[in-house]
Amino acid sequence: MRYKGRTEEDLFSFLASKKREDTCHEYILSSMCTLPHPVAVRAHTMFMETNLGDPGLFQGTSSLEHLLIRTLGELFHHPDACGYATSGGTESNIQALRIAKMTSKKTRPNVVLPESAHFSFKKACEILCMEMRCIPLDEHYRMDVQAAAEATDDQTCCLVGIAGTTEYGMVDPLTELSLLAMERDIHLHVDAAFGGMVIPFLERPLPFDFSLPGVRSIAVDPHKMGLSTIPSGCLLVRDPELVCSLSVDTPYLTVKQEFTLSGTRPGAPVVGALAVLEYLGREGMEALVRGCMKNTLRLIDGMEAYGIARVVTPDVNVATFSPAKVPPPWRISMTRRGHLRIVCMPHVHADIIEKFLKDIGETNA
Ligand SMILES: *Cc1c(COP(=O)(O)O)cnc(C)c1O
């Protein structure tokens, strides 16, 4: 590092030049993150120095984290759900599998999950030394429940269903998975990292949450459709014993035990997440989701008018298409099966979609 510091002006002009190298959100059509809501930014700034890793020192912030968990618990039909704010879906999924492993006490634990599962499960299984059993999808890109039933055995400690798959925006048949989990007494974890902030606000929500008796844990990311600042995820569990299974003693903190994966944890994005839900309310979230779904359907219609077919009709605001040439500067990702994938996040306005459709239409004419 430099011996003599830079002037603030020089430093920030350097930082600004680097920030200009980032892609402008106008052209980001495949991210599950979006521009944070102004109230999330304001709340984040206000709580910048808070550390939830030592809740006794930040009791007010800590109570806001509890309120966030309570709000999400109510939204997911179980106001008494326990949980905590994580750094995102990856951490929530790691912790959910860790709970399933700790509470089931299998000697050779395996996890049964759909092929569409997020790559965070691969990390989780590696860290936790669990076998990963990938189940094929049906023709609608949803987990094949029959195949899942056949893959479970006496060493299965967790069954995973996805509510809003990262690549195709599908919701797995969670009612059936819940029945299977109950029948075999297996922990059912729902990865609703994306869909958790979408499905409850749809006109016809699909069952995915604690209203299904087999569901023991849910991952949800406010830093995606919850419009919070990054990093903001949450893990919710049905019973307090489930998180207690992760408790370790913490000798030098204001609390004696903690069950989180991170030690020091930022309060700022947690308060940001709560601020958005409080500010928008159910009504505001419904309007937000309605807009994103409308844009998704418009995009699908527009693409099909150019002969670029949809892969599936998604359950949430993720649209996928048969391969086509995408002109710069648009940034579009591809799925593992080679389909174009567009996530109609709130920053992807209707006029951006029209501009994109015009460009892709001309390129593929
Ligand atoms: C985004 C996503 C994740 C990973 O979340 P991070 O916040 O990136 O760690 C996990 N599962 C699903 C379904 C996701 O969409």
Side-chain angles (χ1 to χ4, degrees):
M1 70 184 284
R2 53 182 81 223
Y3 179 69
K4 240 181 163 351
R6 279 166 114 153
T7 65
E8 192 170 334
E9 197 188 332
D10 174 46
L11 169 64
F12 278 88
S13 106
F14 165 68
L15 297 182
S17 74
K18 284 292 155 191
K19 192 152 193 234
R20 281 193 296 274
E21 291 175 16
D22 290 349
T23 305
C24 167
H25 267 78
E26 189 181 341
Y27 297 107
I28 303 179
L29 300 194
S30 296
S31 176
M32 288 192 148
C33 289
T34 190
L35 293 163
H37 192 286
V39 301
V41 176
R42 185 170 170 192
H44 187 110
T45 312
M46 189 173 166
F47 285 79
M48 203 75 93
E49 71 287 9
T50 61
N51 170 21
L52 289 170
D54 211 348
L57 299 179
F58 300 97
Q59 292 184 18
T61 312
S62 173
S63 72
L64 292 174
E65 180 183 22
H66 292 144
L67 186 55
L68 175 64
I69 297 299
R70 173 130 198 126
T71 306
L72 293 172
E74 273 170 16
L75 194 62
F76 297 164
H77 299 102
H78 185 42
D80 294 329
C82 302
Y84 77 98
T86 66
S87 57
T90 301
E91 181 182 337
S92 303
N93 288 337
I94 292 171
Q95 289 284 81
L97 292 202
R98 201 172 145 219
I99 290 171
K101 184 181 175 182
M102 297 294 273
T103 52
S104 69
K105 302 186 171 67
K106 308 288 186 198
T107 49
R108 288 170 291 108
N110 69 66
V111 183
V112 172
L113 43 69
E115 228 173 60
S116 52
H118 186 265
F119 51 78
S120 49
F121 287 102
K122 187 161 190 291
K123 300 180 190 175
C125 288
E126 269 173 28
I127 294 169
L128 295 164
C129 300
M130 292 160 96
E131 182 201 340
M132 199 163 102
R133 298 189 176 169
C134 280
I135 306 305
L137 307 180
D138 65 16
E139 73 273 24
H140 301 293
Y141 286 72
R142 296 193 178 98
M143 189 182 198
D144 180 336
V145 181
Q146 189 56 41
E150 282 158 22
T152 57
D153 60 20
D154 66 347
Q155 293 298 309
T156 302
C157 70
C158 193
L159 191 58
V160 176
I162 320 290
T165 56
T166 315
E167 290 192 317
Y168 293 91
M170 302 310 290
V171 177
D172 282 327
L174 286 156
T175 305
E176 286 87 343
L177 288 171
S178 167
L179 288 171
L180 176 65
M182 299 275 283
E183 185 190 300
R184 314 250 169 117
D185 190 24
I186 299 171
H187 184 115
L188 173 57
H189 172 61
V190 176
D191 182 359
F194 186 76
M197 289 281 94
V198 179
I199 301 163
F201 307 112
L202 290 171
E203 270 161 40
R204 280 182 300 277
L206 292 156
F208 80 102
D209 60 18
F210 293 117
S211 60
L212 302 171
V215 173
R216 288 192 199 163
S217 56
I218 302 177
V220 55
D221 279 359
H223 66 207
K224 292 177 178 170
M225 281 294 286
L227 307 184
S228 185
T229 48
I230 296 171
S232 176
C234 285
L235 175 66
L236 277 84
V237 298
R238 186 179 287 278
D239 302 310
E241 304 90 76
L242 292 171
V243 272
C244 291
S245 69
L246 301 182
S247 284
V248 295
D249 294 336
T250 50
Y252 62 82
L253 298 181
T254 52
V255 285
K256 295 288 149 258
Q257 291 205 313
E258 75 176 21
F259 48 75
T260 54
L261 186 57
S262 314
T264 301
R265 289 189 300 130
V270 178
V271 184
L274 180 70
V276 175
L277 297 180
E278 290 283 310
Y279 181 77
L280 292 181
R282 175 173 266 284
E283 187 185 45
M285 286 301 293
E286 282 174 1
L288 180 82
V289 166
R290 201 180 310 121
C292 292
M293 292 306 290
K294 187 169 168 235
N295 289 342
T296 307
L297 296 178
R298 163 63 192 140
L299 174 69
I300 293 174
D301 282 349
M303 291 288 268
E304 292 198 327
Y306 293 125
I308 307 165
R310 79 185 79 183
V311 179
V312 275
T313 300
D315 295 322
V316 296
N317 43 325
V318 178
T320 47
F321 302 96
S322 50
K325 277 207 278 314
V326 177
W330 300 102
R331 301 288 294 269
I332 311 282
S333 69
M334 303 288 276
T335 68
R336 284 170 281 191
R337 297 195 190 184
H339 298 124
L340 285 183
R341 166 181 172 273
I342 297 174
V343 189
C344 293
M345 293 302 287
H347 69 271
V348 183
H349 301 300
D351 48 332
I352 294 183
I353 289 179
E354 296 308 325
K355 211 164 132 202
F356 171 75
L357 281 170
K358 188 167 168 286
D359 282 1
I360 200 156
E362 282 167 9
T363 305
N364 292 274

